[in-house]
Amino acid sequence: MKRTSRALAILAGGLMTVGAIGCGGAGPTGATGADGAPGATGAAGAAGADGVDGTNGIDGTNGTNGTNGTDGTNGTNGTNGTNGTNGTDGLTSLVAVTQLPLGDALCEFGGVLIESGIDANDDGVLDAAEVDADAVVCNQFGVPVEVADGVVADQGDVDDLDGTTLITGDLTVEASESTSIDVASLIQVEGSVSIESNAVLTELRLTNLLNVGGDFSIDDNAALTQVNLGRLTDVGGTLSIGALPTLTSLNLSSLDAVGGDFFLETGASDALFNVDVPSSIGGDFLAAGNGGLSALVFEDATIAGDLSIDSNEGLTALIVGGDVVVLGDLFITNNPTLTNAEAQAFAAAIDVVGTITISGNN
């Protein structure tokens, strides 16, 4: 055992002093040795990932504009183009002047109508379709051509009335030798009109007569065939049309008012005609013994007295186109071509204040 301990001591002699080693128990632990020198630096680690981009910085302000460069010199003018072809000639403007007679619908006392437009068809005439502007210049009634009374005995007297617009008294045509009474200028008679007992009178044309202040009588004219009072609007007194056996045409189309009675008794006639009843009759209306009367036409009408329709041989129709009032009695009798049923239908369509008598019809 002693030999062995010594050998160990020799082996360790270069390192430390070894005390004698007993064969007893273990000795106390020695102090901790000093730290060894740092090891060599290890190899570099792999590069880390890129960081997140930072936000953009605020834009800088715009720089100031540079000064304009100098203008370049003007280019030389181009050569003129060739002239175009001439255009077609323009159309002509035309003006037409038309004289308007007394009693015209546009000018009661006459005047002129001035029309203008382009002559589209180049014929030198302003056609109705070419008129694009017009103007009317009317005469004034300030200075009427008037006479106190008009008495017609022959054609010379008719000619003397030509141009007369107003008769302040009466117009009388009785037993005259004239065959035609045609006074287009006459507009008003303040008194009465009497056209009676003219054996050879065939035509009565007072086409622009508007009103008669008093009575108006056309009676006992055996040869009278045409009566044209187409613009007559009112008669202040009684209107009497009787004993005209050859009458073929009666124009009262504008008649609106009769202040007194209205007697229509033309007599026998082969020709048929219609009569428009005025809107206002101040007395009775009698239509009797009219051989040529075919129809009575009532629009809005008021008859202050009686309405009597009797013995009209050609009467076939009583026409109602509005409100008709009879303040007196109604008689529809002895009309051979008018049925009682038609007469009763007429009576039912109007207002009658008095009594109604219907008898002796077809």
Side-chain angles (χ1 to χ4, degrees):
M1 287 301 291
K2 288 183 182 178
R3 182 176 293 173
T4 302
S5 298
R6 184 174 180 82
L8 290 169
I10 293 171
L11 289 171
L15 296 172
M16 61 180 174
T17 301
V18 178
I21 299 172
C23 294
T29 302
T32 301
D35 293 335
T41 300
D50 293 338
V52 178
D53 293 339
T55 58
N56 294 331
I58 298 171
D59 294 339
T61 58
N62 295 330
T64 57
N65 294 330
T67 57
N68 294 330
T70 57
D71 294 337
T73 57
N74 293 331
T76 57
N77 293 330
T79 57
N80 293 331
T82 57
N83 293 331
T85 57
N86 293 330
T88 57
D89 293 336
L91 298 173
T92 303
S93 177
L94 298 177
V95 175
V97 179
T98 304
Q99 294 292 328
L100 301 177
L102 288 166
D104 185 84
L106 296 176
C107 291
E108 182 175 342
F109 306 108
V112 293
L113 170 63
I114 304 170
E115 299 172 302
S116 62
I118 301 299
D119 186 15
N121 59 10
D122 200 27
D123 65 352
V125 178
L126 184 63
D127 301 319
E130 296 171 337
V131 175
D132 54 28
D134 60 63
V136 175
V137 180
C138 295
N139 298 330
Q140 300 301 311
F141 189 56
V143 186
V145 179
E146 62 182 61
V147 296
D149 289 293
V151 178
V152 175
D154 54 31
Q155 190 60 44
D157 293 334
V158 176
D159 295 340
D160 289 342
L161 288 175
D162 187 30
T164 299
T165 60
L166 171 66
I167 295 177
T168 58
D170 300 330
L171 172 61
T172 304
V173 184
E174 295 183 358
S176 77
E177 299 175 358
S178 178
T179 60
S180 176
I181 306 296
D182 188 349
V183 186
S185 62
L186 185 60
I187 294 171
Q188 181 180 9
V189 177
E190 292 183 345
S192 297
V193 176
S194 176
I195 302 173
E196 300 181 357
S197 303
N198 299 283
V200 296
L201 182 64
T202 61
E203 181 183 47
L204 174 63
R205 292 175 53 83
L206 300 177
T207 53
N208 292 312
L209 180 63
L210 298 178
N211 55 73
V212 174
D215 297 334
F216 195 157
S217 175
I218 306 172
D219 188 51
D220 190 23
N221 299 284
L224 187 59
T225 60
Q226 297 185 37
V227 176
N228 189 342
L229 303 169
R231 297 199 67 204
L232 181 67
T233 60
D234 61 274
V235 175
T238 294
L239 174 60
S240 177
I241 302 175
L244 308 175
T246 60
L247 185 67
T248 60
S249 175
L250 176 61
N251 186 354
L252 297 171
S253 58
S254 298
L255 186 60
D256 185 63
V258 175
D261 299 323
F262 182 7
F263 300 123
L264 182 64
E265 302 172 283
T266 60
S269 176
D270 293 332
L272 297 178
F273 55 87
N274 298 342
V275 171
D276 296 315
V277 178
S279 298
S280 175
I281 297 176
D284 297 333
F285 177 32
L286 171 64
N290 298 283
L293 179 62
S294 176
L296 286 171
V297 181
F298 296 79
E299 297 295 337
D300 293 327
T302 299
I303 299 171
D306 297 336
L307 171 56
S308 299
I309 304 171
D310 179 65
S311 301
N312 299 286
E313 293 182 1
L315 183 64
T316 60
L318 299 173
I319 300 170
V320 178
D323 295 328
V324 179
V325 178
V326 178
L327 298 179
D329 299 329
L330 171 64
F331 302 90
I332 306 176
T333 56
N334 305 315
N335 300 283
T337 56
L338 183 72
T339 67
N340 278 329
E342 290 170 328
Q344 290 165 355
F346 171 77
I350 68 175
D351 293 326
V352 179
V353 175
T355 60
I356 298 174
T357 301
I358 298 174
S359 66
N361 303 294
N362 187 9

